[in-house]
Amino acid sequence: MKEQLEKERLYLFSPFAVTVTRVEIEGILFIEKLQEAVSLAVKKNELLNARVALYENGEAYYETQIFDSNPNDEIRVYQNLYWKDLVKEQEKNAFDLDHGELVRFFLLQNDDKQELVVIAHRLLGDGASIAFLIEDIMCALSDQKLTAKPYKKSIAADTEGKLPFMRKIQENRIRSHWQKEGTTFDQEEYYKLYADFWQKNSSYIQYETFYAAALLRIAAYAKQEKVSIGAVILTAFAKASRELRHVQAAESMDERVIKANEQADLKELQKHLHPESIYVEISSNREYKGIGDYAIKKKASYLYEEDLPFAENTKKLDTLLKQSPNVEEANMIARFPKSLTDSIYFELSGLYMSPDTEWLMNELGITQDRACLAVTNLAKVPIPVKYKNLLLKNYVYVPPMHPGARRALGITIFGNAMNICLHVKEDEYLQNARLFFQKGIAVLRKL
């Protein structure tokens, strides 16, 4: 296999394109058999037997590799370690992409439970891909036969799409200037970027569980209003964001204006509030249960309307989310030199500056303030709960932090429970992000 990275290229040089999946396993588990199951699952998935090769000309490929020792098939076992602490420790260690490392498996054994934690680079695939990999492991544990899963490319980007004449001229100018003035980045620069980012930063994870009664209540509300559960959840967080932004806008206004009169105050506040961008990645159920980036991506801009009931806001946002998938991101990445996409993360980290990079970042909605929301909605996790005498429960998906959004949410429904997980960088905006999350959860629990 030798397949070029296309839309996945956006993740290649990202220091935070890491996903975490954590699930509890009930039943008697033997470490030796779990190791065998992991090794077999890795062997059957072609992408886990490949490396990411980066060439001097800037092109990057998934290439099949014959390993003396596959870096992906080890299960690491820890006693009495909290899974969030494990993530904080592991996020600082860059994946050795050149030698094929794309995933790390951990078994955490505590007094009251045993947890499987899968930490993967986003180049391995979308959230559903990790679920299918866990299913392979559980099937192998329960002595079920596994089938080989070759890597299948997702739909290719459209590089010949219809563009307005002036847009073509603009893009040609950017490409021409980058070819003259731009640069390529190598693996060593990636490792330095990664180390520099995590030396200065750490991430914060918080999740809330909605058990059967609460989940059924949300589902019943969605059915009553004829909208998706995802739309209900996002509307709750849009409402939370609106409330927080009201406070921020008020604090930024001159106190004399605030005291003038309520009507003038309200109009002035409105000037400070603009629709918020919401990036939605839907890892929908699909026929092919293999590893790869098959997620559907959508982007919507929405500002919660306080003069409308919650239900009406939900219907408006649901309509926006039903629009066609956002393929422009993948198409744009395909139209420009791959090294220009790589430069985004060096620009964000202050290690490189280019007007071409700034232009591309702006076109992709990636700004330094990143005051947006990125959501990975796995919906109903597409794998069984029970495997003979073993049972999976409390499935949590921690999405990668998004270069174009300050806050990232992961939504999973598994068994009779739903988990909503917040993943953000620990910085000066952390308190705001925590308030945002708590307010959104409170809205959902009141439905």
Side-chain angles (χ1 to χ4, degrees):
M1 173 185 70
K2 184 176 182 179
E3 296 285 355
Q4 188 173 25
L5 272 68
E6 293 185 353
K7 68 177 184 177
E8 303 93 345
R9 187 66 182 236
L10 186 61
Y11 309 118
L12 177 60
F13 277 83
S14 170
F16 42 79
V18 176
T19 72
V20 179
T21 305
R22 171 263 188 194
V23 64
E24 294 178 31
I25 303 177
E26 281 191 354
I28 299 174
L29 198 59
F30 296 99
I31 305 300
E32 295 81 4
K33 188 160 186 177
L34 177 59
Q35 176 62 72
E36 292 174 3
V38 167
S39 296
L40 183 58
V42 167
K43 182 179 179 181
K44 292 294 185 180
N45 283 276
E46 184 177 28
L47 199 54
L48 286 172
N49 295 275
R51 70 187 187 102
V52 177
L54 183 63
Y55 290 87
E56 289 185 2
N57 64 0
E59 298 294 343
Y61 295 84
Y62 294 116
E63 290 186 355
T64 301
Q65 177 84 2
I66 298 176
F67 296 102
D68 292 330
S69 177
N70 192 317
N72 298 305
D73 70 0
E74 179 186 358
I75 181 77
R76 302 167 176 87
V77 182
Y78 292 95
Q79 311 288 334
N80 301 315
L81 178 63
Y82 186 38
W83 71 273
K84 290 185 186 179
D85 293 334
L86 171 70
V87 174
K88 273 190 173 293
E89 172 190 303
Q90 289 294 318
E91 69 187 3
K92 299 182 184 301
N93 303 324
F95 282 87
D96 190 357
L97 302 176
D98 186 49
H99 293 90
E101 186 189 25
L102 287 168
V103 65
R104 298 168 189 155
F105 299 99
F106 301 88
L107 179 68
L108 306 185
Q109 295 181 315
N110 298 308
D111 293 337
D112 58 341
K113 58 190 170 188
Q114 49 195 5
E115 302 161 297
L116 177 66
V117 179
V118 181
I119 300 179
H121 197 287
R122 185 60 180 77
L123 286 174
L124 181 61
D126 56 20
S129 293
I130 306 304
F132 293 135
L133 180 56
I134 291 173
E135 181 182 17
D136 284 346
I137 294 170
M138 298 306 296
C139 286
L141 273 173
S142 53
D143 300 317
Q144 298 179 50
K145 185 177 180 180
L146 301 186
T147 58
K149 295 181 177 179
Y151 172 65
K152 294 184 179 181
K153 288 184 72 70
S154 56
I155 298 174
D158 177 14
T159 59
E160 303 298 329
K162 295 181 180 179
L163 293 174
F165 178 70
M166 294 306 297
R167 175 71 183 198
K168 287 184 178 179
I169 292 178
Q170 183 183 37
E171 291 195 2
N172 285 336
R173 186 166 62 246
I174 295 294
R175 278 191 291 268
S176 177
H177 187 264
W178 180 259
Q179 288 168 355
K180 294 176 182 177
E181 304 292 337
T183 185
T184 57
F185 303 90
D186 58 28
Q187 293 279 15
E188 289 306 313
E189 288 173 295
Y190 160 68
Y191 293 127
K192 287 166 64 177
L193 167 67
Y194 197 102
D196 181 71
F197 178 86
W198 288 109
Q199 184 179 8
K200 300 174 182 176
N201 298 286
S202 62
S203 72
Y204 174 84
I205 298 170
Q206 181 178 352
Y207 75 97
E208 284 281 336
T209 303
F210 291 76
Y211 293 103
L215 176 57
L216 287 173
R217 190 164 61 249
I218 295 172
Y221 182 88
K223 184 177 181 180
Q224 172 188 307
E225 301 299 335
K226 298 180 180 179
V227 297
S228 66
I229 292 177
V232 175
I233 295 169
L234 290 185
T235 305
F237 285 102
K239 184 178 187 336
S241 179
R242 174 69 184 244
E243 292 174 358
L244 284 174
R245 292 168 74 192
H246 255 313
V247 173
Q248 293 166 348
E251 289 175 346
S252 68
M253 290 167 54
D254 191 304
E255 289 185 5
R256 291 170 296 178
V257 176
I258 296 175
K259 292 176 180 178
N261 62 70
E262 290 187 5
Q263 191 62 31
D265 180 23
L266 181 60
K267 289 181 179 179
E268 189 68 20
L269 273 171
Q270 297 298 334
K271 295 178 183 178
H272 292 262
L273 299 176
H274 304 285
E276 185 171 41
S277 294
I278 304 173
Y279 302 89
V280 182
E281 184 173 293
I282 305 170
S283 293
S284 57
N285 293 355
R286 58 178 191 258
E287 292 183 7
Y288 182 59
K289 293 188 173 185
I291 292 174
D293 189 2
Y294 308 106
I296 298 170
K297 295 185 177 182
K298 297 188 177 185
K299 182 180 178 182
S301 293
Y302 190 72
L303 179 65
Y304 188 90
E305 298 184 37
E306 293 184 323
D307 56 342
L308 291 179
F310 182 85
E312 291 303 313
N313 276 279
T314 302
K315 289 174 183 177
K316 294 184 72 171
L317 187 51
D318 187 60
T319 300
L320 287 174
L321 295 174
K322 286 178 179 176
Q323 64 188 5
S324 300
N326 176 28
V327 298
E328 184 53 26
E329 177 185 283
N331 292 343
M332 281 199 66
I333 291 172
R335 290 199 299 267
F336 288 92
K338 303 301 185 292
S339 55
L340 178 55
T341 300
D342 299 338
S343 70
I344 288 173
Y345 297 100
F346 292 90
E347 176 97 22
L348 284 172
S349 298
L351 300 176
Y352 183 79
M353 291 184 67
S354 164
D356 302 324
T357 307
E358 291 177 5
W359 180 88
L360 181 61
M361 288 170 61
N362 184 64
E363 292 298 304
L364 293 174
I366 300 172
T367 59
Q368 292 288 0
D369 61 5
R370 300 182 299 122
C372 306
L373 174 65
V375 180
T376 301
N377 185 8
L378 289 183
K380 187 175 181 180
V381 181
I383 64 173
V385 171
K386 190 172 183 180
Y387 303 82
K388 291 188 176 179
N389 297 323
L390 297 173
L391 190 73
L392 295 181
K393 69 174 188 178
N394 204 5
Y395 193 109
V396 179
Y397 178 75
V398 184
M401 291 187 288
H402 192 283
R406 187 176 296 145
R407 301 162 302 202
L409 294 178
I411 305 169
T412 56
I413 299 174
F414 190 66
N416 295 317
M418 174 174 70
N419 281 308
I420 301 178
C421 182
L422 172 72
H423 191 200
V424 294
K425 188 167 72 171
E426 286 190 346
D427 57 15
E428 65 271 25
Y429 301 107
L430 177 59
Q431 185 60 30
N432 180 274
R434 293 178 65 180
L435 283 172
F436 159 79
F437 187 67
Q438 292 162 8
K439 282 179 175 288
I441 294 297
V443 172
L444 288 172
R445 293 204 182 278
K446 289 178 181 177
L447 289 179

